Amino acid sequence: MGKNKNNKEIEIEIENQKKVYPEGTKFVDIIKDCGVENPYDVMLIKKNGKLRELYKRLKTPGKIELIRVADRDGKRVYRRSLVYLLQKAVDDLRGDKKICVTVHHSLSHGYFCRLEGEKIDALLLDKIDSRMRELVKADRKIMKSDLTTKKASEKFGERGLLQKKKLLKYRTSSRVNVYELDGYVDYFYGYMVPSTGYLRVFELMLYADGFILQFPHKDSSRVAAFEPSNKLFKTLDEASSWAKLMGVGSIGELNDVIVKGGAADLVYTQEALMETKIGSIAQEIADKNKKFIMIAGPSSSGKTTFSHRLSTQLYAHGLRPHPIGLDDFYIDRDKCPRDEDGKLDFECLESLDLELIDKTFESLLSGKETKMPKFDFVTGMRSHKYQKLKMGESDILVIEGIHGLNDRISRVIPGESIYKIYISALTQLNFDEHNFISTTDGRLIRRIVRDARTRGTDAKETMAMWESVVRGEEKHIFPYQERADVMFNSGLVYELSVLKTYIEPLLFQIEPEDKEYVEANRLLKFLDYFLAIPSENISKTSVLREFIGGSIYPV
């Protein structure tokens, strides 16, 4: 490789090799030069604890870590860049009509999208696919630059991207970073690949009234299998439609409501909507004479609050509900199985005393007075304290836990007595037309706030175990979600504006040398788009109180 004018050389460590390169060498060239297997799998580099895009240049010595497609940050870069490629292809084919793609939400291992202003069909989708692959084959550069916020806002307004323009209205910085691909400029919220040649693996497929942009999963050489989740899609789409109807489909629109003094009304309206939905679920349970309500959902979905609010509604129907947490059936912590990293695996089914669950449910079904276990999370052992329960004619069990929809939990219970509910906090907001907000991010923010308040766990510790939690969800929860009789969305359109003031001090405690710093910094930048809402108008029965405190329920 050639040397630059000042001939200064810099030593780095990469892939267990010591290498020397001229100052100013691009990272993309270093990766290609030092024999990295599958260089197009590398999305970013991490140098001295900081993420760097591949077009950046070497300035100082240090250790370089490669971030690949299968890695968490690499996956984000690949997906973000592929959406950009999709936008560019649609603009090439339909830009003169100001038709663009709206990315709505994640589904399976892809994104559900719609064309705004034109109906999608197989012929048009095939043309978009072909154009995307032409751009990949041409390996066009994706260039990063900056514009004044005013200029960027004007540019997006001219293209009819009003949500993107509205978002920039609340940016306090005078300039914003944008990307350009063959003259097509867009504003994103994270890093990109340096050229389209990196984006070789994808698939487009028709779905509902839109289409799916499907990505690779763990194997970067092929597209992940599409596993339709029709109930989840319906729930997601209903949430998005409601938010749009209320005029809060994007961060910019939410900020508009806050600025105009409408936050309190928004809070009251959504809480009323949530109570109405819980009431309709209780009505169906009563009408069908169900005796065992099984509630499951991923971490920080608000399962405990939901079970108590559902119980209140069941009381109103003349029933006697008994909320029960499957967490109380944990085996002692020292006997808990370990995961692939050698850490205690609290997410696996075997962390529960399955034999005790069977005996307890059999006893209740036979009408016997039964000792209900209680787990002590401080000692990590089952408590000596317990409550007694006997099922009568009007008694009903409301059982919640991550394995609530797994048939192994309820195998001794007659199927006709069970009503299954899947609950998750499904984000209803988008950044703008092209960028949606991850529901996983929303749940992580909830959990950081809750764990700091209730368990004395700092943000660093919660974030360190989050990947393990997500792996457990993918294995033990998501495969069962379509078995539910009903899905309930516990996400609140305004919640990130409330959580912002609680989580920011926690994230700022993480130091640059900490492994979690990159992720903490990403979340801080993300939250910077939101205006804050005070918590004073949040009901004491709200799901959000489970995380920020002040709930009337034992959460």
Side-chain angles (χ1 to χ4, degrees):
M1 302 185 71
K3 299 182 184 292
N4 66 349
K5 292 180 181 179
N6 63 18
N7 224 23
K8 181 179 178 182
E9 293 192 330
I10 296 176
E11 183 179 80
I12 61 169
E13 181 183 341
I14 179 170
E15 296 285 270
N16 298 316
Q17 306 175 62
K18 297 285 188 180
K19 303 285 283 187
V20 175
Y21 291 99
E23 181 183 17
T25 305
K26 289 183 178 180
F27 292 120
V28 66
D29 294 327
I30 291 174
I31 291 166
K32 291 177 180 178
D33 175 71
C34 66
V36 172
E37 186 178 357
N38 299 325
Y40 278 94
D41 270 2
V42 180
M43 301 286 102
L44 298 168
I45 64 103
K46 183 184 285 188
K47 183 171 178 289
N48 299 333
K50 294 184 178 181
L51 295 178
R52 292 285 183 265
E53 287 176 287
L54 299 183
Y55 78 89
K56 293 278 191 177
R57 297 177 182 273
L58 182 64
K59 294 180 181 179
T60 58
K63 183 176 181 179
I64 290 179
E65 178 185 344
L66 304 184
I67 307 298
R68 292 181 164 85
V69 179
D71 298 323
R72 179 188 61 190
D73 291 306
K75 187 185 298 183
R76 288 173 180 151
V77 171
Y78 192 92
R79 293 183 172 197
R80 187 181 301 117
S81 302
L82 197 53
V83 168
Y84 188 27
L85 178 68
L86 170 64
Q87 306 289 353
K88 167 61 176 170
V90 171
D91 190 69
D92 286 350
L93 295 169
R94 290 292 190 272
D96 58 330
K97 298 180 181 179
K98 290 191 176 179
I99 290 168
C100 69
V101 178
T102 296
V103 181
H104 288 273
H105 36 250
S106 178
L107 198 68
S108 185
H109 298 292
Y111 290 165
F112 174 73
C113 311
R114 289 189 176 99
L115 282 189
E116 296 299 322
E118 184 167 353
K119 184 176 175 60
I120 191 74
D121 57 24
L123 180 61
L124 178 54
L125 194 64
D126 187 58
K127 289 180 180 179
I128 295 170
D129 183 280
S130 296
R131 180 55 185 152
M132 289 174 70
R133 297 188 189 281
E134 287 173 4
L135 290 166
V136 170
K137 188 175 180 180
D139 199 15
R140 301 292 190 191
K141 287 186 177 180
I142 298 176
M143 310 291 290
K144 188 175 186 177
S145 61
D146 68 336
L147 294 174
T148 65
T149 303
K150 180 181 179 182
K151 180 67 176 176
S153 181
E154 291 172 353
K155 184 181 287 287
F156 296 131
E158 290 167 2
R159 281 169 41 196
L161 301 175
L162 302 183
Q163 299 300 336
K164 200 175 288 282
K165 179 179 180 181
K166 194 181 290 286
L167 183 71
L168 292 177
K169 172 184 174 182
Y170 295 98
R171 296 296 290 156
T172 55
S173 57
S174 61
R175 304 188 71 84
V176 295
N177 290 324
V178 296
Y179 290 90
E180 182 174 346
L181 171 57
D182 271 3
Y184 181 77
V185 177
D186 210 341
Y187 177 55
F188 284 85
Y189 316 102
Y191 300 127
M192 292 280 191
V193 295
S195 67
T196 57
Y198 286 74
L199 306 172
R200 302 175 182 185
V201 182
F202 66 89
E203 189 174 338
L204 299 179
M205 62 190 78
L206 292 172
Y207 184 81
D209 59 341
F211 62 97
I212 300 290
L213 172 61
Q214 193 76 348
F215 310 106
H217 185 34
K218 293 178 181 177
D219 181 356
S220 61
S221 66
R222 59 188 176 88
V223 171
F226 179 63
E227 300 168 355
S229 301
N230 297 327
K231 290 180 181 177
L232 179 62
F233 171 74
K234 182 181 178 182
T235 305
L236 284 163
D237 224 38
E238 285 177 353
S240 296
S241 297
W242 180 86
K244 192 173 181 179
L245 182 67
M246 293 295 295
V248 285
S250 70
I251 297 176
E253 288 181 335
L254 175 60
N255 288 340
D256 276 351
V257 169
I258 296 169
V259 166
K260 294 173 183 176
D265 285 341
L266 179 62
V267 168
Y268 301 146
T269 300
Q270 190 160 29
E271 289 293 345
L273 176 68
M274 188 169 284
E275 197 61 36
T276 299
K277 288 186 175 181
I278 295 172
S280 67
I281 293 172
Q283 180 70 62
E284 184 174 1
I285 291 169
D287 290 344
K288 293 183 176 181
N289 195 30
K290 300 295 184 178
K291 302 293 285 182
F292 291 81
I293 314 306
M294 311 298 292
I295 302 170
S299 174
S300 303
S301 294
K303 294 184 290 294
T304 305
T305 297
F306 173 79
S307 68
H308 284 283
R309 287 177 68 169
L310 177 61
S311 295
T312 299
Q313 290 285 349
L314 291 169
Y315 269 120
H317 285 83
L319 300 171
R320 293 182 59 201
H322 303 277
I324 294 173
L326 286 176
D327 286 358
D328 283 321
F329 289 88
Y330 269 130
I331 61 177
D332 290 348
R333 192 172 296 158
D334 62 347
K335 299 175 185 175
C336 188
R338 295 185 179 271
D339 64 16
E340 58 198 56
D341 298 325
K343 298 178 182 178
L344 292 173
D345 188 354
F346 301 115
E347 314 294 324
C348 71
L349 185 65
E350 293 73 23
S351 67
L352 298 177
D353 190 334
L354 299 174
E355 184 178 346
L356 178 62
I357 290 174
D358 288 347
K359 288 180 178 178
T360 301
F361 289 164
E362 285 174 340
S363 177
L364 290 168
L365 281 165
S366 66
K368 295 177 182 177
E369 188 173 70
T370 305
K371 292 181 180 179
M372 303 303 295
K374 185 73 176 175
F375 191 82
D376 188 332
F377 285 91
V378 176
T379 65
M381 300 175 66
R382 189 166 298 139
S383 172
H384 295 298
K385 298 177 181 179
Y386 58 85
Q387 289 184 328
K388 291 183 178 181
L389 177 62
K390 184 177 181 179
M391 294 281 285
E393 185 65 28
S394 62
D395 289 291
I396 184 170
L397 297 188
V398 182
I399 304 160
E400 60 91 4
I402 65 171
H403 298 288
L405 300 188
N406 190 319
D407 290 339
R408 174 60 187 86
I409 296 295
S410 55
R411 70 176 185 175
V412 303
I413 304 172
E416 64 273 14
S417 298
I418 301 173
Y419 188 88
K420 295 182 177 181
I421 302 171
Y422 177 79
I423 176 174
S424 188
L426 304 172
T427 308
Q428 301 157 52
L429 284 177
N430 279 9
F431 274 103
D432 56 34
E433 294 86 351
H434 301 163
N435 301 271
F436 74 96
I437 295 173
S438 163
T439 60
T440 305
D441 279 349
R443 290 191 294 107
L444 172 57
I445 288 169
R446 280 182 169 191
R447 179 153 176 167
I448 290 171
V449 172
R450 182 198 66 191
D451 285 5
R453 181 181 63 82
T454 64
R455 301 181 182 178
T457 305
D458 60 20
K460 177 182 172 182
E461 187 176 347
T462 299
M463 294 171 73
M465 63 182 179
W466 185 244
E467 282 195 70
S468 175
V469 170
V470 172
R471 282 200 305 269
E473 293 168 350
E474 291 177 349
K475 184 177 180 181
H476 303 297
I477 300 175
F478 299 150
Y480 300 96
Q481 61 190 13
E482 289 293 308
R483 298 183 183 184
D485 293 292
V486 68
M487 285 191 176
F488 183 82
N489 181 13
S490 68
L492 299 159
V493 73
Y494 61 83
E495 69 177 76
L496 289 170
S497 287
V498 176
L499 290 165
K500 172 186 173 81
T501 56
Y502 289 86
I503 194 173
E504 284 180 336
L506 302 173
L507 294 174
F508 276 119
Q509 292 173 16
I510 297 177
E511 300 293 339
E513 59 269 18
D514 292 329
K515 182 181 177 182
E516 294 73 27
Y517 179 78
V518 169
E519 183 72 351
N521 197 44
R522 182 185 70 84
L523 291 176
L524 283 168
K525 288 181 178 179
F526 161 58
L527 290 163
D528 194 43
Y529 289 96
F530 292 85
L531 297 181
I533 294 177
S535 61
E536 58 194 31
N537 293 315
I538 310 299
S539 165
K540 293 185 181 298
T541 62
S542 174
V543 166
L544 200 54
R545 289 289 178 189
E546 185 170 327
F547 305 96
I548 65 174
S551 176
I552 64 171
Y553 303 122
V555 295

